[in-house]
Amino acid sequence: MSLSQVKAVANSLFCHRTLIFLLCIQPLFVLTVKSWSSGALVLGGLASLIATTLLKPTSTDHSPGKTWQYHTFLLSFSLLFICVGITGLLRQDLHVAHLDSPARFLLAIPVFILIRRSTIDALTALTITTAAGTLLTLGYQMLPSSKPRWDADRMSSHFADPLSFGYISLAFALLALTSISQTKHHKHGPKLVALQGLAFAAGLYMNIQTQSRTGWLAIPVLAAIAFYVNRKSVTLRKFSIFASAFIVSTLALYHGSEIVQKRIAVTLDEILNYSFEGVAPETSVGLRLTFLRIATDMILQRPLLGFGDTQASKPEVPANVREYASDFAIDFALSAGFHNEIATTAVQYGVFSALAAALCFAVPLSIYWLGLRSESYMSRHAASLGIAFTLVYMISSVSTEVFGLKYTVSLYAMTTAILCGIVTRNDQ
């Protein structure tokens, strides 16, 4: 078969649609099949790289504003790899493993380019696979053969810990909830609303069962953003209904779930009883606060290059750290991370690498925010989903590493590439 014939097949509508759908299957088994998320990203990235050289662009002549967004996205998804690589070379301890997570952002770039150049409806495919993946995950959890690796009374899987399992479940739940209000005009609207409603309930249920508070703050933040975006069309009556519904549902969730009551009470108690005098208490919240204090002192000691992989080679912490941190807290932070994405990155690879990691949140959020004002319904829908998804990840990153695990960073990179690709298309 000649090259021209290969290109003709690649440019067929069926081939194009099949490829776009395959890029959206990652959420199906992200929490049930180990390495599924990473495999989907690697195959999707390579397939997209090949396809962008064969497929004719169907969405061209982008406006200057969207061209600027395009270049900013490429920079943000490349910068972490560059910064980690440079600091490793300067410290003379660079290993391939250090570049594993940053490289996943690079792999997602061809996906972003392909989606941006296409006019195929990737959004419906992504929302359906996300909802289906949420329901499949709950179904898997109900099987007798499903044995969690972690604490038996906290929902997880054989590779996903309760924290990661919890915030991904919450992200999928909020994606489903956001989709409900956006799919009413779709030709299959009632069916999609029913699917998304079930997925929202399933995702929220699984999140609560993990007993993880990671990401909960995203719910009121997302509600506040929704109100701000729609403030011009919101009457006093609509606001009263919305506020009442939000308060009633929140109170119902609180009083109806013993887990939620317990976790909120424990959180408040641990915050109020944390002491900055002497060795800090080793509670869940207390350790996280101590980790941040340790990270701050270590960053001040080596702000530009960082200490490298603290798990592989544990550095000596500053002397003043032992005045407030126990040996357990110090060893845990160095071995398992500081339970904060930006702090861990800054300690290991320097403040510029931490800034690059922060841009992986900030740039997509800015693209989504501008997308909310797009003339294209699909762009606005993708922007709404992107804000919900990124908020959960960003808020969760305050209390755990979200780019440190292969399946979590792969999910974020791939989903973000697809949604940003849709938002930065031409308005159709």
Side-chain angles (χ1 to χ4, degrees), residues 185-224:
H185 299 302
H186 195 278
K187 62 180 179 180
H188 299 299
K191 295 179 181 178
L192 291 177
V193 168
L195 176 65
Q196 301 296 349
L198 290 173
F200 169 69
L204 189 61
Y205 170 78
M206 289 190 292
N207 173 263
I208 293 173
Q209 293 304 309
T210 64
Q211 301 185 32
S212 173
R213 299 155 294 196
T214 306
W216 282 5
L217 186 60
I219 298 175
V221 172
L222 187 60

Side-chain angles (χ1 to χ4, degrees), residues 63-74 116 366-367 370:
S63 64
K66 292 199 172 184
T67 301
W68 177 83
Q69 293 173 28
Y70 169 77
H71 291 297
T72 305
F73 180 90
L74 296 185
R116 185 174 183 267
S366 67
I367 291 174
L370 294 173

